[in-house]
Amino acid sequence: PFDMLIVGGGPAGASAAIYAARKGIRTGLLANEFGGQVMETLTIENIIGTPKTEGPKFMAEVKQHVEEYEVDLISGEIATGIHNDGIVTIDLENGGQLQSKAVVLATGAHWRNLNIPGEAEFKNKGVAYCPHCDGPLFAGKDVAVVGGGNSGIEAALDLAGICNHVYVLEFLPTLKADKILQERLLELTNVTIILNAQTTSINGTDRVESLSYRQRETGVEEIISVAGAFILIGLQPNTKWLEDTAVTLNERGEIVTASDGATNVSGIFAAGDCTDSRYKQIIIAMGSGATAALGAFDYLIRQGSK
Ligand code: FAD
């Protein structure tokens, strides 16, 4: 068996693998696909010390860094179950199993899509999912935020300080965000809230130029000129496969972790976007990957396994 097996090959998993391997223990990294969400990102400008890079380039460098250590990279495999009966066993979709004394779960998350025309086509060309990441790219421009929950309204408040005008589109007749966020939003003069609006398409030639929506009450189609559309209708952790296991998830499906990355199950740790960490960013995922690997190493020492 492995001493430490990491499930997930995004920033959190890569960071955990490097921290584990540097302890000289037998380390494995299992990933459906190495790279994670960062592979979908074009420009990244908030990795401290790397002023500007691109997602695939950055993750190729991260992979190279992992490969400098003795890490067994197991790609193209999907974990479907986990339990600890003295040793942690991971079930694989292909019917196989992997065993490890400690495991770090770093399976990440994915943004819910609207699945409307133009959304996929203009990804990284005006369609965005993360205001912390892409907000500054739209400085002085008009943008739309789709989604009136907490993440949508937080994004609108954030973007209103950077952009010229922000349109918030909510499908339902009311915003779902906390009252305090709604109050702050209403104070702003460069925000328009459009309720009962079903976003129907994102339009443009090379980049986003406008967004179409249908007024659900009247059925009237409207179009607004925007350079960007932030889709904030929910970040879903990749934890469905843990629902029938002993690992505790919160109401959002995120893995509940302690300050050392420990889950409620001994020997099982977690890091990155699949956890209840408050913010979801590359640098944060990498930090929590390091934390979980160190937490898991401490666990191994205390078990006398190391
Ligand atoms: P992920 O990157 O999601 O990686 C998860 C890994 O787990 C993948 O390797 C996946 O294949 C694997 N996996 C999942 N389920 C299983 C399973 N059952 N079995 C095996 N493997 C599995 N953040 C920034 O800091 N700056 C940015 O500019 C930025 N831009 C972004 C742009 C976009 C379009 C998106 C979607 C996100 C962006 N983010 C950005 C957020 C950032 O990408 C994430 O916070 C970060 O990737 C989280 O890392 P992670 O390792 O926790 O998870």
Side-chain angles (χ1 to χ4, degrees):
F2 290 104
D3 291 318
M4 207 181 300
L5 178 65
I6 289 106
V7 186
S15 168
I18 290 173
Y19 268 75
R22 285 172 59 83
K23 297 295 184 191
I25 60 178
R26 193 168 167 225
T27 305
L29 187 151
L30 163 76
N32 179 18
E33 204 178 328
F34 192 90
Q37 290 167 75
V38 187
M39 300 304 275
E40 303 167 33
T41 311
L42 253 194
T43 316
I44 309 175
E45 298 182 346
N46 57 3
I47 299 168
I48 310 307
T50 303
K52 195 168 186 154
T53 185
E54 287 176 1
K57 175 175 181 282
F58 181 70
M59 286 316 287
E61 287 162 358
V62 169
K63 189 172 187 202
Q64 210 179 347
H65 193 177
V66 172
E67 284 168 346
E68 281 181 20
Y69 294 93
E70 273 188 39
V71 176
D72 272 352
L73 278 179
I74 308 156
S75 268
E77 299 290 350
I78 297 174
T80 54
I82 187 168
H83 65 274
N84 185 355
D85 48 14
I87 188 131
V88 185
T89 302
I90 300 267
D91 303 317
L92 301 177
E93 197 179 60
N94 71 8
Q97 287 187 326
L98 291 169
Q99 293 196 313
S100 185
K101 291 173 188 164
V103 164
V104 175
L105 301 174
T107 50
H110 60 276
W111 286 99
R112 270 185 61 204
N113 290 317
L114 286 165
N115 295 319
I116 55 167
E119 184 182 27
E121 187 185 344
F122 295 115
K123 213 173 197 177
N124 291 315
K125 293 176 187 160
V127 171
Y129 296 84
C130 169
H132 318 301
C133 314
D134 297 338
L137 302 175
F138 299 94
K141 298 183 175 159
D142 292 352
V143 297
V145 170
V146 182
N150 277 343
S151 59
I153 303 310
E154 281 168 8
L157 287 166
D158 178 352
L159 294 167
I162 302 171
C163 304
N164 179 55
H165 198 91
V166 180
Y167 297 92
V168 177
L169 292 100
E170 165 59 51
F171 184 81
L172 297 171
T174 52
L175 296 178
K176 288 282 159 261
D178 294 344
K179 208 160 172 291
I180 181 78
L181 293 174
Q182 294 192 35
E183 283 168 8
R184 290 285 164 275
L185 195 69
L186 289 172
E187 286 167 11
L188 300 176
T189 52
N190 65 337
V191 175
T192 305
I193 301 167
I194 307 169
L195 300 172
N196 253 328
Q198 181 180 6
T199 308
T200 49
S201 68
I202 297 167
N203 326 301
T205 39
D206 297 333
R207 293 189 58 83
V208 171
E209 288 162 15
S210 67
L211 178 147
S212 303
Y213 68 94
R214 193 170 58 83
Q215 261 301 344
R216 293 174 60 226
E217 266 176 337
T218 59
V220 174
E221 293 277 343
E222 305 273 3
I223 189 159
I224 44 177
S225 290
V226 287
F230 284 78
I231 318 290
L232 288 156
I233 55 170
L235 182 68
Q236 293 189 316
N238 301 324
T239 56
K240 236 186 162 0
W241 65 286
L242 295 168
E243 280 174 2
D244 296 329
T245 70
V247 176
T248 299
L249 307 176
N250 67 13
E251 68 287 355
R252 285 191 291 274
E254 300 166 335
I255 304 168
V256 177
T257 51
S259 59
D260 61 352
T263 69
N264 63 307
V265 181
S266 74
I268 304 180
F269 293 73
D273 281 15
C274 64
T275 73
D276 57 357
S277 87
R278 179 68 177 85
Y279 302 104
K280 319 289 191 198
Q281 292 282 277
I282 294 165
I283 193 165
I284 294 170
M286 286 185 159
S288 76
T291 300
L294 294 176
F297 185 67
D298 262 352
Y299 163 84
L300 292 175
I301 291 173
R302 281 167 175 72
Q303 295 290 302
S305 307
K306 228 23 252 165

